[in-house]
Amino acid sequence: MSLRERKKRLTYQAVSDAAIAMFLERGFDKVSVAEVAAAADISKPTLFRYFPTKEDLVLHRFADHEDEAARVVAGRAETESPLAALRRHFLDGLERRDPVTGLCDAPEVLAFLRLLYGTPSLVARMYAYQGRSEAALARALGDRMRDRLAAGQIIAVQRILALENWRRIDAGESADQAYGSAVENAELAFAQLRAGLGEE
C-alpha cells in the first residue's frame, strides 16, 4: 500500500470515528455533515469525497463485510458445499461473538447497534449494503437464476438471525446467556435452507 493510500485510509477512519462519536453523543439527526467536517478538520466537499452520504459515515463499518459471504463460498474446500461453508462461518462468528452476528455485548458495539437500529435512515441504507452482499454471493455461486434466488434467501436468513440476536442482547441478556438459543436458531435456519435449496 502506498503512502498516499495509507494516509487516505487513516483520514477515512478518523472522519468516521469522529462522526460516530458525535452521533452517539447527540443523535444521528442532530449532527450536521458540516459539524462532522469541522470536527475532522476537513472541508465539506472533501468529506463527501470520502463518504457520499451522511449514512455512509456510520455504515462504512459494514463495507468490509459486503462480500464476506462470497469470500466464504469462494474460499471453501472442494469437498464442502457453499451452504455448509456459510453455516460453519456463521456458527464460528457466534462463538467469537462477532458483532455482525448480533451476538456481541461489548458496550461500544451495543451503543453502535442502538444508533444503527434506532435511526430509520441508517436501517434503510443498510439494505443497500445487504443488496450488494446478495449480489456478490450470487456471483460466487454462479450467477444463474437459482444462484440469485439462493443468495437472496441466505442473506435474508443471516440478517434475521443477527437481528434476533441483537434484540435479545438489547433486552438485557448477555451474549453468553443468548449463545445457546442463537446456535439453535442458526441450526434451524440452515436446516430450512438446506431443505429449500435441495442440499439434503
Side-chain angles (χ1 to χ4, degrees), residues 19-97:
I20 290 171
M22 294 171 77
F23 296 152
L24 289 173
E25 183 181 347
R26 292 164 45 199
F28 182 80
D29 295 324
K30 294 182 178 175
V31 178
S32 70
V33 171
E35 288 176 292
V36 173
D41 200 25
I42 59 174
S43 69
K44 194 172 169 183
T46 298
L47 184 145
F48 280 124
R49 281 201 296 274
Y50 285 98
F51 301 95
T53 72
K54 182 180 176 184
E55 288 76 17
D56 289 326
L57 285 160
V58 176
L59 291 172
H60 90 91
R61 290 191 176 182
F62 287 92
D64 290 343
H65 298 284
E66 270 189 26
D67 63 347
E68 186 169 320
R71 283 187 275 117
V72 169
V73 167
R76 76 191 191 281
E78 287 185 17
T79 55
E80 189 175 35
S81 74
L83 196 58
L86 290 164
R87 171 189 167 275
R88 173 181 48 77
H89 183 74
F90 192 85
L91 291 173
D92 179 60
L94 291 176
E95 190 172 344
R96 289 183 289 107
R97 307 301 192 257

Side-chain angles (χ1 to χ4, degrees), residues 69-70 73 82-83 86 130-159 193 197:
V73 167
L83 196 58
L86 290 164
Q130 291 170 338
R132 291 194 288 274
S133 296
E134 184 182 311
L137 178 56
R139 288 192 297 274
L141 293 171
D143 218 17
R144 300 161 296 180
M145 175 54 74
R146 65 177 293 153
D147 302 320
R148 294 193 292 275
L149 290 169
Q153 293 173 66
I154 291 165
I155 296 300
V157 160
Q158 291 181 336
R159 175 182 57 79
L193 282 170
L197 298 175

